Amino acid sequence: MTTELGRSCKPYTEPMAPEETGFSAPRGTRDLLPPASSAWQKVIRYAQDSFSKAGYQPVETPAFEQTEVFARGVGATSEVVTKQMYTFTDQGGRSLTLRPEATASVVRAVLENNLHRGALPVKLAYFGWMYRQERPQKGRYRQFFQLGIEALGASAATVDAEVIEVADRFYKGLGLKTILKLNSIGHPGESCRGSYNDALVAYLREHEASLAEEDRARIATNPLRTFDSKESSTIAVMSEAPVITDHLCSDCAEHFVTIRSALDAVGIEYELDPRLVRGLDYYTRTAFEFVAGDLGAQNAVGGGGRYDGLAEVLGGPPVPGIGFALGLDRIMLALGDIALEPAVTAYVVALGDEAIREAFPLATRLRRAGIGCEFDLMGRQMKGQMKDAVRSGARFAVIIGEAELEAGEATVKDLATGEQERVALDRLEEWLGA
Ligand code: AMP
């Protein structure tokens, strides 16, 4: 990718073979190096800004929680809990887990801090690393970054539409083309998902012999999860399976219709996908996912849904909720190119002992005035300093030599056009800031 000054920025720097130290980042983790790391930060800032435009305020929760928060919150039969958690015992004998996702943590924090007894809905946004012991591949890592929002305390369908709108606006603002897949998985009651489960289990039993072994076990524990299977034999069976949307109770069906008309009203397009169930156990009613076309197997760039039962599962009162988590690693892969503003505006090029001594105070003065500035820290000659100025991305080289210092001036060279002019040293802030 090319910036105004011709610096290029790949979305990722692929890991190199380990140097002679023999150490490398743990499997499934990556280092984010400049300039990709700046592109990464830029997208996070953009997310913070676009989520806050709908009133979602940042929340920070710990990177680890009591294991029970996830075991109960995410659900004991989910893949995340059964296979993927980084769980350890601390010195006090407590079982702790690195967060595999943030919704359970946020709900725990809301309940613990009584936010659900204050102004509703509670609207929170988080930006942080998550940890899952998955088999690493392109777009799937063991430490990955999620951007998320949660709205708690409101069950109206408009809240579902708002949450989807926030994600949609974020992707569109980034220029990322995504497809929104939408479903309702009803509520757990007998009149709704309960009766559907019976129909699904009957169908799965009928086709048990054609299911992958792992999925056969799910019939008894969590039949809905068979829709998530990656096994081709199961996928074939599921394509003919009864779908939840034919079994929704009237309240859930109406909720779903209302969301769709709210999305229609603001021109947000979606595809109905009655087989979309999402990987976590706590979802009720709305489930959605955003996929990006050219990402290959790991093409889900975000997803979310309603989790009206989660607060109770965590020991609190009923507090309805809905949210999403967007995967920044995959968003960066899908974006490819991001234009980066240069980090600094100016680079002080110093010639001669006196000027070299002046470089640090001058750079400091400019920085204090809010103007990004670098100077040579390697004892380079003039030519090397000019090269380093280009490397820094600075628009201007502020050249000081004996003659300039004597005149109380600097030669300011525009590195993009090559034009240069003398500027009084005490007017530099004004000149560069303009
Ligand atoms: P989930 O929390 O499983 O609903 O995932 C929400 C989003 O997080 C997904 O759509 C992905 O974009 C991203 N995500 C989930 N797991 C991983 C992973 N192991 N590596 C990278 N991104 C992930």
Side-chain angles (χ1 to χ4, degrees):
M1 120 190 22
T2 309
T3 68
E4 272 171 57
L5 290 173
R7 281 205 306 163
S8 73
C9 170
K10 290 202 196 111
Y12 283 114
T13 312
E14 288 300 327
M16 315 260 283
E19 264 298 345
E20 61 271 18
T21 65
F23 290 120
S24 54
R27 190 165 142 75
T29 71
R30 294 159 311 139
D31 300 308
L32 278 169
L33 306 173
S37 49
S38 296
W40 183 274
Q41 293 295 337
K42 183 175 172 174
V43 175
I44 294 175
R45 280 196 300 274
Y46 180 67
Q48 289 166 336
D49 183 55
S50 50
F51 299 175
S52 76
K53 285 208 163 70
Y56 290 81
Q57 294 188 318
V59 61
E60 296 281 351
T61 62
F64 54 87
E65 297 272 350
Q66 292 170 39
T67 300
E68 272 303 292
V69 171
F70 303 118
R72 280 208 252 158
V74 180
T77 64
S78 68
E79 289 243 305
V80 170
V81 170
T82 52
K83 294 188 182 158
Q84 300 173 351
M85 295 208 300
Y86 281 102
T87 297
F88 59 97
T89 306
D90 76 359
Q91 289 173 7
R94 287 169 284 258
S95 178
L96 299 171
T97 294
L98 292 183
R99 61 180 175 192
E101 58 104 53
T103 303
S105 304
V106 170
V107 174
R108 192 271 307 142
V110 165
L111 296 173
E112 183 178 343
N113 295 287
N114 273 318
L115 301 188
H116 60 296
R117 300 196 201 283
L120 296 178
V122 181
K123 304 215 294 195
L124 299 170
Y126 62 85
F127 310 88
W129 294 105
M130 308 294 151
Y131 305 87
R132 293 183 196 171
Q133 206 158 160
E134 296 194 79
R135 199 148 51 83
Q137 53 179 276
K138 187 177 172 204
R140 195 202 276 168
Y141 308 101
R142 291 183 168 177
Q143 172 174 296
F144 58 98
F145 200 96
Q146 286 187 334
L147 317 162
I149 66 171
E150 312 290 355
L152 284 119
S155 50
T158 327
V159 191
D160 304 45
E162 167 170 296
V163 166
I164 291 171
E165 181 279 321
V166 172
D168 175 81
R169 180 164 39 81
F170 169 71
Y171 289 127
K172 284 185 178 142
L174 286 179
L176 190 62
K177 281 207 167 42
T178 55
I179 297 166
L180 165 61
K181 299 197 165 181
L182 186 63
N183 193 22
S184 172
I185 56 168
H187 80 282
E190 228 0 83
S191 62
C192 198
R193 202 189 306 152
S195 75
Y196 169 67
N197 257 354
D198 296 342
L200 180 61
V201 167
Y203 175 85
L204 292 172
R205 291 267 177 244
E206 209 178 298
H207 295 84
E208 199 162 346
S210 314
L211 293 175
E213 193 180 329
E214 191 181 71
D215 295 317
R216 259 176 250 152
R218 286 176 161 152
I219 301 177
T221 54
N222 196 341
L224 212 56
R225 193 72 346 108
T226 40
F227 282 108
D228 261 349
S229 176
K230 306 283 177 292
E231 304 290 334
S232 54
S233 52
T234 303
I235 293 171
V237 172
M238 298 321 288
S239 66
E240 301 290 321
V243 291
I244 176 84
T245 35
D246 293 335
H247 292 256
L248 294 179
C249 69
S250 55
D251 282 355
C252 286
E254 192 188 319
H255 186 89
F256 195 32
V257 167
T258 312
I259 295 170
R260 282 150 53 193
S261 38
L263 295 177
D264 293 339
V266 295
I268 295 176
E269 290 176 12
Y270 50 84
E271 282 178 10
L272 294 177
D273 181 354
R275 290 181 177 78
L276 176 71
V277 294
R278 313 264 312 124
L280 314 178
D281 281 357
Y282 51 59
Y283 286 113
T284 52
R285 293 189 161 175
T286 318
F288 58 92
E289 198 153 82
F290 289 88
V291 297
D294 42 8
L295 274 184
Q298 306 303 318
N299 65 352
V301 288
R306 189 164 265 289
Y307 46 82
D308 292 346
L310 180 55
E312 282 168 282
V313 167
L314 291 177
V319 182
I322 176 158
F324 65 60
L326 315 182
L328 183 56
D329 303 74
R330 291 184 196 171
I331 290 169
M332 298 308 286
L333 281 173
L335 280 177
D337 284 7
I338 293 188
L340 285 179
E341 297 79 32
V344 296
T345 305
Y347 188 105
V348 177
V349 173
L351 303 163
D353 291 346
E354 199 193 336
I356 288 169
R357 274 194 302 277
E358 277 307 307
F360 173 56
L362 180 54
T364 303
R365 224 184 76 195
L366 295 178
R367 291 170 187 168
R368 284 178 179 163
I371 297 162
C373 184
E374 282 197 77
F375 65 102
D376 175 48
L377 297 170
M378 298 300 293
R380 293 181 180 90
Q381 302 297 317
M382 165 93 176
K383 207 168 141 203
Q385 291 189 38
M386 289 303 286
K387 257 195 181 165
D388 198 42
V390 172
R391 188 271 321 151
S392 77
R395 173 83 191 267
F396 301 104
V398 176
I399 305 164
I400 48 174
E402 238 171 72
E404 279 89 353
L405 288 185
E406 217 155 87
E409 292 175 343
T411 301
V412 180
K413 180 171 181 177
D414 185 324
L415 293 169
T417 64
E419 279 168 29
Q420 58 181 56
E421 66 178 272
R422 293 282 280 250
V423 178
L425 282 174
D426 57 11
R427 284 195 48 239
L428 270 177
E429 287 90 335
E430 193 190 323
W431 196 95
L432 291 166

